[in-house]
Amino acid sequence: MNPIKKVYGYITRVKNDKIQVLVFQHSNPEAGIQIPKGTVEAKEEIDYAIIREVKEETGLQKFKVEGLITEDFWKNDDGSIHHRFFYNITVLDAPDEWEYQPTGGGEESGLTFHYFWIFSQNETELVRGHGDYLDYIFQ
């Protein structure tokens, strides 16, 4: 079985001389606090997938993909293998908090995500796997 390709975005900004990372609370509380991520579509370039996913999940339109932090292979809870690509993305102008309904369709259709910023990797508990490389951001 081929691994499922997934892109993850550590969207960052600087506020009060500190780096912050964008996270969201899913409208289903059991889904936990996450970072924007998604599945790479068939024949889609990885670099395009991260741009598409950030726009679809957050509503942000103006941001810069700084580059790939790392990639790995990870076993998901359902037993599937994910080939994960973690990106560093910067944004200069974004609200402190906002609500957004993802536009990508699928299982997120009709859901509302609550976005907010964290100042450290220990500030909140992210769902399993989402905080694996936050130490690259919060050095």
Side-chain angles (χ1 to χ4, degrees):
M1 183 170 141
N2 289 333
I4 301 166
K5 291 182 180 177
K6 297 277 189 177
V7 290
Y8 291 71
Y10 287 140
I11 301 171
T12 64
R13 73 175 185 180
V14 176
K15 185 162 186 177
N16 300 328
D17 297 322
K18 290 187 155 194
I19 291 192
Q20 295 179 314
V21 172
L22 184 67
V23 298
F24 68 91
Q25 175 67 58
H26 206 281
S27 51
N28 173 1
E30 294 175 8
I33 297 174
Q34 305 179 24
I35 62 168
K37 68 151 182 51
T39 304
V40 179
E41 296 175 357
K43 298 183 181 179
E44 184 178 35
E45 294 292 324
I46 303 295
D47 291 345
Y48 176 77
I50 190 61
I51 294 168
R52 177 184 54 76
E53 284 293 342
V54 168
K55 288 179 178 180
E56 287 178 358
E57 283 207 354
T58 69
L60 294 171
Q61 298 297 315
K62 294 181 179 181
F63 54 87
K64 181 179 179 190
V65 178
E66 300 292 344
L68 181 68
I69 295 170
T70 192
E71 63 181 277
D72 69 8
F73 289 90
W74 188 75
K75 188 172 184 178
N76 195 34
D77 293 337
D78 65 6
S80 63
I81 302 298
H82 291 183
H83 187 180
R84 305 186 306 168
F85 300 84
F86 285 81
Y87 283 86
N88 182 10
I89 298 164
T90 55
V91 63
L92 295 177
D93 185 31
D96 289 338
E97 295 184 48
W98 71 94
E99 306 276 325
Y100 189 73
Q101 291 185 326
T103 60
E107 57 190 46
E108 295 175 344
S109 185
L111 298 178
T112 300
F113 295 166
H114 176 77
Y115 283 90
F116 59 99
W117 300 89
I118 59 173
F119 289 92
S120 75
Q121 63 192 88
N122 301 320
E123 184 175 335
T124 190
E125 185 176 343
L126 299 178
V127 297
R128 188 170 84 85
H130 284 224
D132 288 355
Y133 299 103
L134 275 176
D135 56 333
Y136 284 74
I137 305 297
F138 295 119
Q139 296 181 15

